[in-house]
Amino acid sequence: PESTAPASAAFEEPQGEIEKSVAKVFAEILDMPRVSRHDDFFAIGGNSLLALRLVSRIKSEMRSDLPIVQVFKNSTVQSLAQYIK
């Protein structure tokens, strides 16, 4: 049987342009159809190597100078978007 990641209490659509952009990059890097604004990058399959790819994509697509340490400190879509703002 295929194991599936536990669903968060309730899916919550990302709010605002920055959250939507961050969620899109999370979903693409983790090969998921969609990501909730409260999903934690590492809890849903991310690791340090994928975090490097995440930072690279955010830097190029969102023109944000995002230090890698911030992905570890702000690992949900919502908190990372708040940092980028």
Side-chain angles (χ1 to χ4, degrees):
E2 252 182 65
S3 71
T4 55
S8 44
F11 178 83
E12 197 174 324
E13 207 60 52
Q15 308 293 310
E17 287 308 307
I18 295 173
E19 267 189 37
K20 288 177 183 170
S21 297
V22 170
K24 178 179 169 269
V25 176
F26 269 41
E28 288 171 1
I29 286 176
L30 298 173
D31 196 23
M32 299 177 77
R34 67 182 190 166
V35 177
S36 170
R37 69 189 305 234
H38 300 296
D39 280 342
D40 181 291
F41 183 74
F42 300 102
I44 60 173
N47 58 40
S48 53
L49 191 59
L50 291 173
L52 288 170
R53 288 182 52 201
L54 178 73
V55 167
S56 175
R57 289 277 300 277
I58 287 174
K59 282 181 176 180
S60 67
E61 291 182 19
M62 300 176 71
R63 312 249 189 287
S64 172
D65 187 23
L66 178 66
I68 184 75
V69 69
Q70 291 304 325
V71 176
F72 292 92
K73 288 182 176 179
N74 300 289
S75 56
T76 67
V77 170
Q78 182 183 27
S79 63
L80 195 57
Q82 276 298 120
Y83 175 83
I84 292 169
K85 265 185 205 173

Coordinates of all heavy atoms in Angstrom, one line a residue:
P1 N 0.8 -1.2 0.0 CA 0.0 0.0 0.0 C 0.9 1.3 0.0 O 1.9 1.3 0.6 CB -0.8 -0.1 1.3 CG -0.1 -1.1 2.1 CD 0.7 -2.0 1.2
E2 N 0.4 2.2 -0.7 CA 1.1 3.5 -0.8 C 0.9 4.3 0.4 O -0.2 4.4 0.9 CB 0.6 4.3 -2.0 CG 1.5 4.4 -3.2 CD 1.0 5.2 -4.3 OE1 0.8 6.4 -4.1 OE2 0.7 4.7 -5.4
S3 N 2.0 4.9 0.9 CA 1.9 5.7 2.1 C 1.6 7.1 1.6 O 2.2 7.6 0.7 CB 3.1 5.6 3.0 OG 4.2 6.3 2.4
T4 N 0.7 7.8 2.3 CA 0.4 9.2 2.0 C 0.8 10.1 3.2 O 0.6 9.6 4.3 CB -1.0 9.4 1.6 OG1 -1.9 8.9 2.6 CG2 -1.4 8.6 0.3
A5 N 1.2 11.3 2.9 CA 1.5 12.2 4.0 C 0.2 12.5 4.7 O -0.8 12.7 4.1 CB 2.2 13.5 3.4
P6 N 0.3 12.7 6.0 CA -0.9 13.0 6.7 C -1.5 14.4 6.3 O -0.7 15.3 6.2 CB -0.5 13.0 8.2 CG 1.0 13.1 8.2 CD 1.4 12.6 6.9
A7 N -2.7 14.5 6.1 CA -3.3 15.8 5.7 C -3.4 16.7 6.9 O -3.6 16.2 8.0 CB -4.7 15.5 5.1
S8 N -3.1 18.0 6.7 CA -3.2 18.9 7.8 C -4.7 19.0 8.2 O -5.6 18.5 7.4 CB -2.7 20.3 7.4 OG -3.1 20.6 6.1
A9 N -5.0 19.5 9.3 CA -6.4 19.6 9.9 C -7.3 20.0 8.8 O -8.4 19.4 8.6 CB -6.4 20.5 11.0
A10 N -7.0 21.1 8.1 CA -7.9 21.5 7.0 C -7.0 22.2 6.0 O -6.1 23.0 6.3 CB -8.9 22.4 7.5
F11 N -7.2 21.9 4.7 CA -6.5 22.6 3.6 C -6.9 24.1 3.7 O -8.1 24.4 3.7 CB -6.8 22.0 2.3 CG -6.1 22.8 1.2 CD1 -4.7 22.4 0.9 CD2 -6.7 23.8 0.5 CE1 -4.1 23.1 -0.1 CE2 -6.0 24.5 -0.5 CZ -4.7 24.1 -0.8
E12 N -5.9 25.0 3.7 CA -6.2 26.4 3.6 C -5.4 27.0 2.4 O -4.2 26.9 2.3 CB -5.8 27.1 4.9 CG -6.5 28.5 5.0 CD -6.3 29.1 6.4 OE1 -6.2 28.4 7.4 OE2 -6.1 30.3 6.4
E13 N -6.2 27.6 1.5 CA -5.6 28.2 0.3 C -4.6 29.3 0.7 O -4.9 30.1 1.6 CB -6.8 28.8 -0.5 CG -6.6 28.9 -1.9 CD -6.4 27.6 -2.7 OE1 -7.2 26.7 -2.5 OE2 -5.4 27.6 -3.4
P14 N -3.5 29.3 0.0 CA -2.5 30.4 0.2 C -3.2 31.8 0.0 O -4.0 31.9 -1.0 CB -1.4 30.2 -0.8 CG -1.5 28.7 -1.0 CD -3.0 28.4 -1.0
Q15 N -2.8 32.8 0.8 CA -3.4 34.1 0.7 C -2.4 35.1 0.1 O -1.3 35.1 0.6 CB -3.8 34.6 2.1 CG -4.7 33.7 2.9 CD -6.1 33.5 2.2 OE1 -6.7 34.5 1.9 NE2 -6.5 32.3 2.1
G16 N -2.8 35.9 -0.9 CA -2.0 36.9 -1.4 C -0.9 36.4 -2.4 O -0.7 35.2 -2.5
E17 N -0.4 37.3 -3.2 CA 0.5 36.9 -4.3 C 1.8 36.2 -3.8 O 2.2 35.2 -4.4 CB 0.9 38.1 -5.1 CG -0.2 38.6 -6.0 CD -0.8 37.6 -6.9 OE1 -0.1 36.9 -7.6 OE2 -2.1 37.4 -6.8
I18 N 2.4 36.7 -2.7 CA 3.7 36.1 -2.3 C 3.4 34.7 -1.7 O 4.1 33.7 -2.1 CB 4.4 37.0 -1.2 CG1 4.8 38.3 -1.9 CG2 5.6 36.3 -0.6 CD1 5.3 39.3 -0.9
E19 N 2.4 34.5 -0.9 CA 2.1 33.1 -0.4 C 1.7 32.2 -1.6 O 2.2 31.0 -1.6 CB 0.8 33.1 0.5 CG 1.2 33.3 2.0 CD 0.1 33.1 2.9 OE1 -0.8 32.2 2.7 OE2 0.1 33.8 3.9
K20 N 1.0 32.7 -2.6 CA 0.6 31.8 -3.7 C 1.9 31.4 -4.5 O 2.0 30.3 -4.9 CB -0.3 32.5 -4.6 CG -1.7 32.6 -4.0 CD -2.7 33.4 -4.9 CE -4.1 33.5 -4.2 NZ -5.0 34.4 -4.9
S21 N 2.8 32.4 -4.7 CA 4.1 32.0 -5.4 C 4.9 31.1 -4.6 O 5.5 30.1 -5.2 CB 4.9 33.3 -5.6 OG 4.2 34.2 -6.4
V22 N 5.0 31.2 -3.3 CA 5.8 30.3 -2.4 C 5.2 28.9 -2.5 O 5.9 27.9 -2.6 CB 5.9 30.8 -1.0 CG1 6.5 29.8 0.0 CG2 6.8 32.1 -0.9
A23 N 3.8 28.9 -2.3 CA 3.1 27.6 -2.4 C 3.4 26.9 -3.7 O 3.6 25.6 -3.8 CB 1.6 27.8 -2.1
K24 N 3.4 27.6 -4.8 CA 3.6 27.0 -6.1 C 5.0 26.4 -6.2 O 5.1 25.3 -6.7 CB 3.4 28.1 -7.2 CG 3.7 27.7 -8.6 CD 3.4 28.9 -9.6 CE 3.9 28.6 -10.9 NZ 5.3 29.0 -11.2
V25 N 6.0 27.1 -5.7 CA 7.3 26.6 -5.7 C 7.5 25.3 -4.8 O 8.1 24.3 -5.2 CB 8.4 27.7 -5.4 CG1 9.8 27.1 -5.3 CG2 8.3 28.8 -6.4
F26 N 6.9 25.4 -3.6 CA 6.8 24.2 -2.7 C 6.3 23.0 -3.5 O 6.9 21.9 -3.5 CB 5.9 24.5 -1.5 CG 6.5 25.1 -0.3 CD1 7.5 26.1 -0.3 CD2 6.1 24.6 1.0 CE1 8.0 26.6 0.8 CE2 6.6 25.2 2.1 CZ 7.6 26.2 2.1
A27 N 5.1 23.2 -4.1 CA 4.4 22.1 -4.8 C 5.2 21.6 -5.9 O 5.3 20.3 -6.1 CB 3.1 22.6 -5.3
E28 N 5.9 22.4 -6.7 CA 6.7 22.0 -7.8 C 7.9 21.2 -7.4 O 8.2 20.1 -7.9 CB 7.1 23.2 -8.7 CG 5.9 23.7 -9.5 CD 6.2 25.0 -10.2 OE1 7.4 25.5 -10.1 OE2 5.3 25.6 -10.8
I29 N 8.6 21.7 -6.4 CA 9.8 21.1 -5.9 C 9.5 19.7 -5.2 O 10.2 18.7 -5.4 CB 10.6 22.0 -5.0 CG1 11.3 23.1 -5.8 CG2 11.6 21.2 -4.1 CD1 12.0 24.1 -5.1
L30 N 8.4 19.7 -4.5 CA 8.0 18.4 -3.8 C 7.1 17.5 -4.6 O 6.6 16.5 -4.2 CB 7.3 18.8 -2.5 CG 8.2 19.6 -1.5 CD1 7.4 20.0 -0.3 CD2 9.4 18.7 -1.1
D31 N 6.8 17.9 -5.9 CA 6.0 17.2 -6.8 C 4.6 16.8 -6.2 O 4.2 15.7 -6.1 CB 6.7 15.9 -7.2 CG 6.1 15.2 -8.5 OD1 5.4 16.0 -9.2 OD2 6.2 14.0 -8.6
M32 N 3.9 17.9 -5.7 CA 2.6 17.8 -5.1 C 1.6 18.6 -5.9 O 2.0 19.6 -6.5 CB 2.6 18.2 -3.7 CG 3.6 17.5 -2.8 SD 3.6 18.1 -1.1 CE 2.1 17.5 -0.5
P33 N 0.4 18.2 -6.0 CA -0.6 18.9 -6.7 C -0.9 20.3 -6.1 O -1.1 21.3 -6.8 CB -1.9 18.1 -6.7 CG -1.7 17.1 -5.6 CD -0.2 16.9 -5.4
R34 N -0.9 20.4 -4.8 CA -1.2 21.7 -4.1 C -0.6 21.6 -2.7 O -0.4 20.6 -2.2 CB -2.7 22.0 -4.1 CG -3.5 21.1 -3.2 CD -4.9 21.5 -3.3 NE -5.6 20.7 -2.3 CZ -6.9 20.9 -1.8 NH1 -7.5 21.9 -2.3 NH2 -7.4 20.2 -0.9
V35 N -0.4 22.8 -2.2 CA 0.2 22.9 -0.8 C -0.7 24.0 0.0 O -1.0 25.0 -0.6 CB 1.6 23.4 -0.9 CG1 2.2 23.6 0.5 CG2 2.5 22.4 -1.7
S36 N -1.0 23.6 1.2 CA -1.7 24.5 2.1 C -0.8 25.6 2.6 O 0.4 25.4 2.7 CB -2.3 23.8 3.2 OG -2.9 24.6 4.2
R37 N -1.4 26.7 3.0 CA -0.5 27.8 3.5 C 0.1 27.5 4.8 O 1.1 28.1 5.3 CB -1.4 29.1 3.6 CG -2.4 29.1 4.7 CD -3.3 30.3 4.6 NE -2.6 31.5 4.7 CZ -2.8 32.5 5.5 NH1 -3.8 32.4 6.4 NH2 -2.1 33.6 5.5
H38 N -0.4 26.4 5.5 CA 0.2 26.0 6.8 C 1.1 24.8 6.7 O 1.6 24.3 7.7 CB -0.9 25.7 7.8 CG -1.8 26.9 8.1 ND1 -1.3 28.1 8.6 CD2 -3.1 27.2 7.8 CE1 -2.3 29.0 8.7 NE2 -3.4 28.4 8.2
D39 N 1.3 24.3 5.5 CA 2.1 23.1 5.3 C 3.6 23.5 5.5 O 4.1 24.5 5.1 CB 2.0 22.5 3.8 CG 0.8 21.7 3.7 OD1 0.2 21.2 4.7 OD2 0.4 21.4 2.5
D40 N 4.3 22.6 6.3 CA 5.7 22.8 6.6 C 6.5 22.0 5.6 O 6.3 20.8 5.3 CB 5.9 22.1 8.0 CG 7.4 22.3 8.4 OD1 8.2 21.6 7.9 OD2 7.6 23.1 9.4
F41 N 7.4 22.7 5.0 CA 8.2 22.2 3.9 C 8.9 20.8 4.2 O 8.8 19.9 3.5 CB 9.3 23.2 3.5 CG 10.2 22.8 2.4 CD1 9.7 22.9 1.1 CD2 11.5 22.3 2.6 CE1 10.5 22.5 0.0 CE2 12.3 21.9 1.5 CZ 11.8 22.0 0.2
F42 N 9.4 20.7 5.4 CA 10.1 19.5 5.8 C 9.1 18.4 6.2 O 9.4 17.2 6.0 CB 11.1 19.8 7.0 CG 12.2 20.8 6.5 CD1 12.1 22.2 6.9 CD2 13.2 20.4 5.6 CE1 13.0 23.1 6.4 CE2 14.1 21.4 5.2 CZ 14.0 22.7 5.5
A43 N 8.0 18.8 6.8 CA 7.0 17.8 7.2 C 6.3 17.1 6.0 O 5.9 16.0 6.1 CB 6.0 18.4 8.1
I44 N 6.3 17.8 4.9 CA 5.6 17.2 3.7 C 6.6 16.7 2.7 O 6.2 16.4 1.5 CB 4.6 18.2 3.0 CG1 5.4 19.5 2.6 CG2 3.5 18.6 4.0 CD1 4.5 20.5 1.8
G45 N 7.8 16.4 3.1 CA 8.8 15.7 2.2 C 10.0 16.5 1.8 O 10.9 16.0 1.1
G46 N 10.2 17.7 2.3 CA 11.4 18.5 2.0 C 12.6 18.0 2.8 O 12.4 17.4 3.8
N47 N 13.8 18.3 2.3 CA 15.0 18.0 3.0 C 16.0 19.2 2.7 O 15.6 20.1 1.9 CB 15.6 16.6 2.6 CG 15.8 16.5 1.1 OD1 16.3 17.4 0.4 ND2 15.5 15.4 0.5
S48 N 17.2 19.1 3.2 CA 18.1 20.2 3.0 C 18.5 20.4 1.5 O 18.7 21.5 1.1 CB 19.4 20.0 3.9 OG 19.9 18.8 3.7
L49 N 18.6 19.3 0.8 CA 19.0 19.4 -0.6 C 17.8 20.1 -1.4 O 18.1 21.0 -2.2 CB 19.3 18.1 -1.2 CG 19.9 18.0 -2.6 CD1 21.2 18.8 -2.6 CD2 20.1 16.6 -3.1
L50 N 16.6 19.7 -1.1 CA 15.4 20.3 -1.8 C 15.3 21.8 -1.3 O 14.8 22.6 -2.0 CB 14.2 19.5 -1.5 CG 14.1 18.2 -2.2 CD1 12.9 17.4 -1.7 CD2 14.1 18.3 -3.7
A51 N 15.7 22.1 -0.1 CA 15.6 23.5 0.4 C 16.5 24.4 -0.4 O 16.2 25.5 -0.7 CB 16.0 23.5 1.9
L52 N 17.7 23.8 -0.8 CA 18.6 24.6 -1.6 C 17.9 24.9 -3.0 O 18.0 26.0 -3.5 CB 19.9 23.9 -1.9 CG 20.9 23.8 -0.7 CD1 22.0 22.8 -1.0 CD2 21.4 25.2 -0.4
R53 N 17.2 23.9 -3.5 CA 16.5 24.2 -4.8 C 15.4 25.2 -4.6 O 15.2 26.0 -5.5 CB 15.9 22.8 -5.3 CG 17.0 21.9 -5.9 CD 16.5 20.6 -6.4 NE 15.4 20.9 -7.4 CZ 14.5 19.9 -7.8 NH1 14.6 18.7 -7.2 NH2 13.6 20.2 -8.7
L54 N 14.7 25.1 -3.5 CA 13.7 26.0 -3.1 C 14.2 27.5 -3.1 O 13.6 28.4 -3.7 CB 13.0 25.7 -1.8 CG 11.9 26.6 -1.2 CD1 10.6 26.3 -2.0 CD2 11.7 26.3 0.2
V55 N 15.3 27.7 -2.4 CA 15.9 29.0 -2.3 C 16.3 29.5 -3.7 O 16.0 30.7 -4.0 CB 17.1 29.0 -1.3 CG1 17.9 30.3 -1.5 CG2 16.6 28.8 0.1
S56 N 16.9 28.7 -4.5 CA 17.3 29.1 -5.8 C 16.1 29.5 -6.7 O 16.2 30.5 -7.3 CB 18.0 27.9 -6.5 OG 18.4 28.2 -7.8
R57 N 15.0 28.7 -6.6 CA 13.8 29.1 -7.4 C 13.2 30.4 -6.9 O 12.8 31.2 -7.7 CB 12.8 27.9 -7.3 CG 13.2 26.7 -8.0 CD 12.8 26.8 -9.5 NE 11.4 27.0 -9.7 CZ 10.5 26.0 -9.8 NH1 10.9 24.7 -9.6 NH2 9.3 26.3 -9.9
I58 N 13.1 30.5 -5.6 CA 12.5 31.8 -5.0 C 13.4 33.0 -5.4 O 12.8 34.0 -5.8 CB 12.3 31.6 -3.5 CG1 11.2 30.7 -3.2 CG2 12.1 33.0 -2.9 CD1 10.9 30.4 -1.8
K59 N 14.7 32.8 -5.4 CA 15.6 33.9 -5.7 C 15.4 34.3 -7.2 O 15.3 35.5 -7.5 CB 17.1 33.5 -5.5 CG 17.5 33.6 -4.1 CD 19.0 33.3 -3.9 CE 19.4 33.5 -2.5 NZ 20.8 33.1 -2.3
S60 N 15.3 33.3 -8.1 CA 15.1 33.6 -9.5 C 13.7 34.1 -9.9 O 13.5 35.0 -10.6 CB 15.6 32.5 -10.4 OG 14.7 31.4 -10.2
E61 N 12.7 33.4 -9.3 CA 11.3 33.7 -9.7 C 10.7 34.9 -9.0 O 9.9 35.6 -9.5 CB 10.4 32.5 -9.5 CG 10.7 31.4 -10.5 CD 9.8 30.2 -10.3 OE1 8.7 30.3 -9.7 OE2 10.1 29.1 -10.7
M62 N 11.1 35.1 -7.7 CA 10.5 36.2 -6.9 C 11.5 37.3 -6.7 O 11.1 38.3 -6.0 CB 10.0 35.6 -5.6 CG 9.0 34.5 -5.8 SD 8.4 33.8 -4.3 CE 7.5 35.1 -3.6
R63 N 12.7 37.2 -7.2 CA 13.7 38.3 -7.1 C 13.9 38.6 -5.6 O 13.9 39.8 -5.2 CB 13.3 39.5 -7.9 CG 12.9 39.3 -9.3 CD 13.9 39.8 -10.3 NE 13.5 39.8 -11.6 CZ 13.4 38.7 -12.4 NH1 13.5 37.5 -11.9 NH2 13.0 38.8 -13.7
S64 N 14.0 37.6 -4.8 CA 14.1 37.8 -3.3 C 15.5 37.2 -2.9 O 15.8 36.1 -3.3 CB 13.0 37.1 -2.6 OG 13.3 37.1 -1.2
D65 N 16.2 37.9 -2.1 CA 17.5 37.4 -1.6 C 17.2 36.6 -0.4 O 17.2 37.2 0.7 CB 18.5 38.5 -1.4 CG 19.9 38.0 -1.0 OD1 20.2 36.9 -1.4 OD2 20.6 38.8 -0.4
L66 N 16.9 35.4 -0.5 CA 16.5 34.5 0.6 C 17.6 33.7 1.1 O 18.1 32.8 0.4 CB 15.3 33.6 0.1 CG 14.8 32.6 1.2 CD1 14.1 33.4 2.3 CD2 13.8 31.7 0.5
P67 N 18.1 33.9 2.4 CA 19.2 33.1 2.9 C 18.6 31.7 3.3 O 17.5 31.6 3.7 CB 19.6 33.8 4.2 CG 18.9 35.2 4.2 CD 17.7 35.0 3.3
I68 N 19.4 30.7 3.0 CA 18.9 29.3 3.2 C 18.4 29.1 4.7 O 17.4 28.3 4.9 CB 20.0 28.2 2.8 CG1 19.5 26.8 3.0 CG2 21.2 28.4 3.7 CD1 18.5 26.3 1.9
V69 N 19.1 29.7 5.6 CA 18.7 29.5 7.0 C 17.2 29.9 7.3 O 16.6 29.3 8.1 CB 19.6 30.3 8.0 CG1 19.4 31.8 7.8 CG2 19.4 29.9 9.4
Q70 N 16.7 30.8 6.5 CA 15.3 31.2 6.7 C 14.3 30.1 6.3 O 13.2 30.1 6.8 CB 15.0 32.5 5.9 CG 15.7 33.7 6.4 CD 15.4 34.0 7.9 OE1 14.3 33.8 8.4 NE2 16.4 34.5 8.6
V71 N 14.7 29.2 5.4 CA 13.8 28.1 5.1 C 13.6 27.2 6.3 O 12.6 26.7 6.6 CB 14.3 27.3 3.9 CG1 13.4 26.1 3.6 CG2 14.4 28.2 2.6
F72 N 14.7 27.1 7.1 CA 14.7 26.3 8.3 C 13.9 27.0 9.4 O 13.2 26.4 10.2 CB 16.1 25.9 8.8 CG 16.7 24.9 7.8 CD1 17.5 25.4 6.8 CD2 16.5 23.5 7.9 CE1 18.1 24.5 5.8 CE2 17.1 22.7 7.0 CZ 17.9 23.2 6.0
K73 N 14.1 28.3 9.5 CA 13.4 29.1 10.5 C 11.9 29.3 10.2 O 11.1 29.5 11.1 CB 14.1 30.4 10.7 CG 15.4 30.3 11.4 CD 16.0 31.7 11.6 CE 17.3 31.7 12.3 NZ 17.9 33.1 12.5
N74 N 11.6 29.5 8.9 CA 10.2 29.8 8.5 C 9.8 28.7 7.4 O 9.8 29.0 6.3 CB 10.2 31.2 7.8 CG 10.6 32.3 8.8 OD1 9.9 32.6 9.7 ND2 11.8 32.8 8.6
S75 N 9.5 27.5 7.9 CA 9.4 26.4 7.0 C 7.9 26.2 6.5 O 7.7 25.3 5.7 CB 9.9 25.1 7.6 OG 9.3 24.9 8.8
T76 N 7.0 27.0 6.9 CA 5.6 26.9 6.3 C 5.5 28.0 5.2 O 6.2 28.9 5.1 CB 4.5 27.2 7.3 OG1 4.6 28.5 7.8 CG2 4.6 26.2 8.5
V77 N 4.5 27.7 4.3 CA 4.3 28.7 3.2 C 4.0 30.1 3.8 O 4.6 31.0 3.4 CB 3.1 28.2 2.4 CG1 2.6 29.3 1.4 CG2 3.4 26.9 1.6
Q78 N 3.2 30.1 4.8 CA 2.8 31.4 5.4 C 4.0 32.1 6.0 O 4.2 33.3 5.8 CB 1.7 31.2 6.4 CG 1.2 32.4 7.1 CD 0.2 32.2 8.2 OE1 0.2 31.1 8.8 NE2 -0.7 33.1 8.4
S79 N 4.7 31.4 6.8 CA 5.9 32.1 7.5 C 7.0 32.5 6.6 O 7.6 33.6 6.7 CB 6.4 31.3 8.7 OG 6.9 30.1 8.2
L80 N 7.2 31.7 5.5 CA 8.3 32.0 4.6 C 7.8 33.3 3.7 O 8.6 34.2 3.5 CB 8.6 30.8 3.7 CG 9.9 31.0 2.9 CD1 11.1 31.2 3.8 CD2 10.1 29.7 2.0
A81 N 6.6 33.3 3.4 CA 6.0 34.4 2.6 C 6.1 35.7 3.5 O 6.5 36.8 2.9 CB 4.6 34.2 2.2
Q82 N 5.8 35.6 4.8 CA 5.9 36.7 5.7 C 7.4 37.3 5.7 O 7.6 38.5 5.7 CB 5.5 36.4 7.1 CG 4.0 36.4 7.4 CD 3.5 37.8 7.2 OE1 2.6 38.0 6.3 NE2 3.9 38.8 7.9
Y83 N 8.3 36.3 5.7 CA 9.7 36.7 5.8 C 10.1 37.5 4.5 O 10.8 38.5 4.5 CB 10.7 35.5 6.0 CG 12.1 35.9 5.9 CD1 12.8 36.5 7.0 CD2 12.8 35.8 4.7 CE1 14.1 36.9 6.9 CE2 14.1 36.3 4.5 CZ 14.7 36.8 5.6 OH 16.0 37.2 5.5
I84 N 9.7 36.9 3.3 CA 10.0 37.5 2.0 C 9.4 38.9 1.9 O 10.0 39.8 1.3 CB 9.5 36.6 0.9 CG1 10.4 35.3 0.9 CG2 9.6 37.3 -0.5 CD1 9.8 34.2 0.0
K85 N 8.2 39.1 2.4 CA 7.6 40.4 2.4 C 8.5 41.5 3.0 O 8.6 42.6 2.5 CB 6.3 40.4 3.2 CG 5.1 40.2 2.3 CD 3.8 40.3 3.1 CE 2.7 39.5 2.5 NZ 1.5 39.4 3.3

